[in-house]
Amino acid sequence: MRNVLLLLKLQLDNQSDLLKTLKPKKMIPSIIKIFALFVLGTLGVGLALARVDMMGFAINRELLSIVLLATQVISIVFATGNIIKTLYMSKDNEMLFCLPVTPNQLFISKLLVIYIKEFAVNAAISIPLYLVLGFFEKSFGASYYLSIIMLLFLLPITPIALGAFLSIPLMLLIRFLRKHTVLSILLVFSLVAACLWAYTSFVATAFTEFDFSGQEQIQTVIDINQKIVWLGSKILVYYQLAGAMLSFSLWYVYPLFILACLGIAVATIFFTRHFFFKAAMSSLEKTIKKRREPEYDTFKKQGVLASLFKKECLCVFRSASDVFEYFLFTILMPVIVFSYDQLLLSIVIDQGGTDMTPGAHLMVVAILAMLSNISSASAISRDGGNFYVSKMVPVGYYSQIFAKFLFNAVFTAAALLATSVVSMFLFPAWQVLLGTVAVIFASIGHIAYSIDTDIKNPTVFNDGDEKSSAVSKSTPKSLIYGLIIGFVMGVFMMITAKMELSFVPYIILIAAAFVFMVYRVYTLVLRINLRYDKIEM
Amino acid sequence: MSELETKYLLEIKNLTKHYGESNVNAVEDLSISLKEGEIYGFLGPNGAGKSTTIKSLVGIYPFQHGDILINGVSIKTHPLEAKKNVGYVSDNHAVFERLTGYEYVNHIANLYGVDPKDAEERTNRLLDIFKLRFAFHQPIKSYSHGMKQKISVIGALVHNPKLWVLDEPLTGLDPQSSYQLKKVMKQHAKEGNTVFFSSHILDVVENLCNRCCIIKKGKLQGVYDIKELKARGESLEEIFVSVIGEEDK
């Protein structure tokens, strides 16, 4: 047991500073931070649900049953990811396997790490949500609040068990997909596109089924309440738990639930233990495939810029996670924009709304274009320990940066052009084209800003094969900056839409975007040599 | 060849370098000159400033004072011209892990503007020496430490540099790979080029180098001709210990 606890502390300390020292003085800042986040979270949820409460939606046993199920579904997603990351693909496995502990102790300590993480995720979602629901529904008594505490400890068990079982086929799939990058990229994008389709279908169905306009609002609330009562009572296990939350007379459910949880936990440990060792060991192994190699290799001559561009493409496109992160919005841009536009046009009910749709369209296009540019925020950092190559080769820094710039700009521009083609089915061609020109200019400016930020403060101490955005400190900055640009562009077009100025606002927007682009590119070019020289590794 | 006619391939003149805002010099007033065709060892304890000097001379680090001339060209004023003559093997063996060995070497050859025929000839020769052909078309991330070191060496030599710089090249290599690498270093020097490398293994420096120098706390402690040392019956190990030890006292 002592070994298990030591292993647990070792792993937790590796991930968080909270328990590194047990001195209260050093723990207090972290505890205050966590508490502040809880307060903010509760206030946020409270504000979001205040409107729902005011509209007259019922907070009852059936709703609690649905909330319990929803939080469990979210927990399953997190737990599955956590299990894959902590059990099978954790970098500390190599070190932990060498320690003088039994494999079972290691396995149990890993499960405890997962339980603690899952507990934290569950607490972060559930506490604010249940407190706010209790605040709005005054009839909830002591049974409700005591149940929250108890459920916080019990609810993570089922998602972990389900996650542990789900992670086995997922790990096999991941291992297969690692060898087939193109297939994995196609699969991920198909999944995202399917989710997007499901979401837009759901919203469209909701708008056809329920009338959200002023006249029929009361009837709509009654309809939704009826649906909740129907659905909530069908979710047997969670309906019983929700009942126990509201009345001490139904607390006999808890011992049964605890027994079920224990059974699930034991079954999980029994079934997944063997797979853990096999999968964790194989993720540490490196193999060279035996192939028939040519006896004499021939080289192809390429220009410096072409070679740099090719290197960028190969390094990014060989990592499914990088492609997903960098090009999710780029590749799906036409689909997202088209779905969004269709949805927007189907729910707009008055002339004012109709006038604003081109602005709303432009906002989404601009935001997606800026999101497509975040790869530039790790342009230098993603080279990691290989960055020294940039400094030792006899190639000017301008050429090297231009290749990185081009790599991003080409794909964003291609996505914007494809998006403009599909948008022409819904909006006048002149509007779409002028909007696209403005977004392209703004996008170039944003790429230049993102690269400039990364050159200023790169992280070049990683091994160059890690998830790129994770190693760059500039990604969040670029993201926020991009969102602001997209938002400002969209709002400008929405405001000017009411003035009936035809193409004049587009010309103003193009001019502003052009000035922004020139300024950002000029700033980047001006500082490349100085900043590049300063990067030491 | 008289001293007047001697052509120096690398001249480090009064190099002084400190990091960021620090007022402690990592390298201070360092001056050494390397002749054509010689293998030169760069010795010093950990933190002596060896890697800082090497990274300054290959263009990775900027420096505050002094100059570095490679084949007569200043890395400070004409960096691109100077870099054309240098091949560098880093101490962290970082190579673009997602590329294959072939893609990496081809990319480096393109950046140096090497004629494909020349690049092919050099690469194929080194692939045979290092016995790396079986993995050349595999992703570098599947390589072992030694294989990464070898592909890094091939990348550094693909443009046949006049000055080949290696930062602790033998660390972590098995005896066979070590032997192969030393053989390639000797061959490169024999062809009239200069090899400059840092190491902690004094025996290797003694057996491989024509000359070596010792630095401590960024300052040059002495330059030694290995032949002369051997003629005097002195061992490099004794000198190293006395030089480093004396300062500590």
Side-chain angles (χ1 to χ4, degrees), chain A residues 110-166:
Chain A
K110 289 247 163 198
L111 281 184
L112 287 174
V113 172
I114 294 163
Y115 177 81
I116 290 169
K117 281 185 183 174
E118 205 46 39
F119 177 84
V121 169
N122 210 40
I125 299 169
S126 303
I127 294 177
L129 190 61
Y130 290 126
L131 285 182
V132 169
L133 289 174
F135 174 78
F136 287 127
E137 184 52 58
K138 303 280 187 277
S139 66
F140 291 176
S143 166
Y144 176 75
Y145 293 101
L146 286 173
S147 295
I148 293 174
I149 298 167
M150 192 152 54
L151 288 174
L152 274 180
F153 290 92
L154 293 175
L155 286 177
I157 298 172
T158 328
I160 291 173
L162 276 173
F165 284 111
L166 280 175

Side-chain angles (χ1 to χ4, degrees), chain B residues 118-133:
Chain B
D118 293 338
E120 275 164 34
E121 189 268 318
R122 282 172 205 140
T123 304
N124 281 290
R125 185 173 60 87
L126 289 166
L127 282 175
D128 289 335
I129 292 174
F130 288 132
K131 303 195 181 349
L132 198 63
R133 195 176 291 284

Side-chain angles (χ1 to χ4, degrees), chain A residues 170-232:
Chain A
L170 270 175
M171 266 307 288
L172 296 174
L173 185 70
I174 288 169
R175 242 190 267 167
F176 170 77
L177 291 175
R178 270 182 171 177
K179 295 172 198 156
H180 305 86
T181 313
V182 178
L183 193 67
S184 63
I185 291 167
L186 283 175
L187 187 77
V188 167
F189 282 99
S190 310
L191 272 174
V192 175
C195 291
L196 196 73
W197 174 81
Y199 169 74
T200 46
S201 304
F202 170 76
V203 176
T205 312
F207 273 92
T208 36
E209 196 149 317
F210 302 110
D211 188 348
F212 288 95
S213 60
Q215 310 91 307
E216 300 294 333
Q217 219 174 59
I218 296 169
Q219 189 53 44
T220 302
V221 171
I222 294 167
D223 288 349
I224 292 176
N225 277 337
Q226 279 172 350
K227 284 262 175 195
I228 288 172
V229 168
W230 176 82
L231 188 66

Side-chain angles (χ1 to χ4, degrees), chain A residues 289 293-302 307 315 318 322 385-386 388 391 394 465 533 536-537, chain B residues 17 19 60-62 83 94-96 98 102-103 106-107 110 112 120 124 133-134 136-138:
Chain A
K289 284 180 222 156
E293 299 294 346
E295 283 182 15
Y296 190 87
D297 278 284
T298 51
F299 281 170
K300 289 173 203 134
K301 174 95 177 164
Q302 265 179 329
S307 193
C315 285
R318 288 213 174 128
D322 272 7
N386 306 303
Y388 76 90
K391 291 193 107 183
D465 191 38
D533 260 342
E536 294 182 340
M537 56 183 298
Chain B
K17 152 88 190 160
Y19 289 98
I60 296 174
Y61 284 169
K83 286 173 187 176
V95 259
F96 293 100
R98 291 177 189 169
Y102 170 82
E103 287 162 351
N106 199 357
H107 173 60
N110 285 329
Y112 280 92
E120 275 164 34
N124 281 290
R133 195 176 291 284
F134 77 101
F136 196 46
H137 290 269
Q138 308 269 344

Side-chain angles (χ1 to χ4, degrees), chain A residues 312 373-382 397-398 400-409 443-458 472 474-475 478 481 520-521 523-525 527-528 531-532 535:
Chain A
E312 289 295 321
N373 295 337
I374 54 162
S375 71
S376 293
S378 57
I380 311 296
S381 297
R382 71 167 165 260
Y397 300 148
Y398 291 110
Q400 298 192 37
I401 287 297
F402 186 61
K404 288 175 184 291
F405 173 87
L406 207 61
F407 169 70
N408 199 152
S443 194
I444 291 172
H446 182 235
I447 294 173
Y449 165 81
S450 303
I451 295 176
D452 195 31
T453 317
D454 197 37
I455 295 180
K456 192 178 169 188
N457 196 12
S472 167
S474 315
T475 306
S478 163
Y481 199 73
R520 277 290 156 209
V521 171
T523 317
L524 172 69
V525 169
R527 299 196 281 219
I528 283 180
R531 287 196 166 160
Y532 234 81
I535 303 172

